[in-house]
Each structure stands twice: as C-alpha cells, then as structure tokens.
Amino acid sequence: SLYARVRELRPVADPPQGASVGAAIELVADAPCPYWRDTVAKSYGLGTVSRAIPTGTAPSAFLLRLLGDPLSATAVVNPQFLYYDATGKQIRTSTFTISLGSNDYLEIDSSPAAMTIMKSVGGTLTQDDTLLTAGLFPQPLDPTAHGNYYLSQWPMVKVAATSGTPRGELIFPRMWG
C-alpha cells in the first residue's frame, strides 16, 4: 500500500494565488516483501549434476518440483533435493520418502508463508507434509550466505534418489535488496 502523511505545515513566502500555507508531504510505501523482484519467475531444470542457480542479491523463495521419469517404467524412489554453496560445499539436504511413477511429482513451496509439500500421484494432488523424512525443509536460495552476486558465484542445487532417474524444476523470482 502507498499512503501520504503531512510532515510539516509552514508559511510559504510567495504562495500561489489563493494559497496561504504550504506543506511538506512524505510518501510511505508499505509492502509485504522489502525486496525488488523479477516480474516473471525464472525456471531451471534440475538433474543429478550440480547446477549453479543465478539469483539476485536477496534470498529467493522457490517452488521445487521433483518429478518421476516419464521415459522409464522405473519409479524414482526417495527423491532428494541437495543445496550447495558456490564453492560446492553441501549446505542442506532434503529427503522425501515416496515412490514417484512416470507422471507423479512433488511440489515443495519454500516461501515462509507456505512451506508446504504437495504430491501428485496418479493424477490426484494432495498436501502431505509428512513426506520430508530426513534433512531440513528447503529454505530460500541465499546468494549472500552461499554465493556472491557481484562475482557471479551462485548457490548450486541438484536432485538425487535411492533409485530411478530423478528430475526437478526450480521456479522462483530473483530478489534484490
């Protein structure tokens, strides 16, 4: 929201015709998020090899999809999301206990307001936050703690699984602060 408030009333030396008082006005913006953000979210495909994820300068919450393999009859068992800093040091792992068939997926929302795990199995979408069985819930990408925007050093991510060929998609707006 945007609102204005009068900070000061004072006489004006040469007021416009008909006016006798001037005012200093302060415009104040009140936003639920203190950062600038992309108007269109970025989308990155994920595989079993670490991938650098270019971010802005502020932490970015994301939507993560862990996907079954549509080209294989083999299920993706116990998919994992692995998060690394720009040097390759592992920061966090999230393990989900589920078998994903060829058209199944998990959708994890890391935004602090949501922090949910949705599963689509056999075409039915339901929330199931109990699927995270090891590690930490995925947190927003943090370019300050795990990379350097100004040197183009980015946090890295990948997916893994006990068996099957996991794939993923990371969707987020870059944030600047």
Side-chain angles (χ1 to χ4, degrees), residues 61-64 81-83 91-96 106-118 127-141:
F62 55 84
L63 187 67
L64 168 67
F81 176 68
L82 297 96
Y83 179 70
I91 302 300
R92 175 178 313 116
T93 300
S94 306
T95 301
F96 303 91
L106 293 181
E107 190 169 272
I108 297 101
D109 187 340
S110 77
S111 64
M115 294 185 69
T116 56
I117 302 170
M118 303 294 287
Q127 184 171 339
D128 191 346
D129 296 334
T130 66
L131 296 175
L132 176 65
T133 55
L136 299 171
F137 194 89
Q139 300 294 309
L141 302 171

Side-chain angles (χ1 to χ4, degrees), residues 12-74:
V12 176
D14 189 17
Q17 185 176 7
S20 61
V21 178
I25 295 177
E26 180 179 63
L27 292 176
V28 178
D30 182 24
C33 178
Y35 303 120
W36 295 335
R37 61 186 295 153
D38 280 332
T39 55
V40 176
K42 305 292 181 194
S43 176
Y44 296 92
L46 305 178
T48 56
V49 176
S50 296
R51 176 179 187 163
I53 304 294
T55 63
T57 58
S60 298
F62 55 84
L63 187 67
L64 168 67
R65 288 192 183 116
L66 297 173
L67 310 165
D69 186 354
L71 304 176
S72 173
T74 304

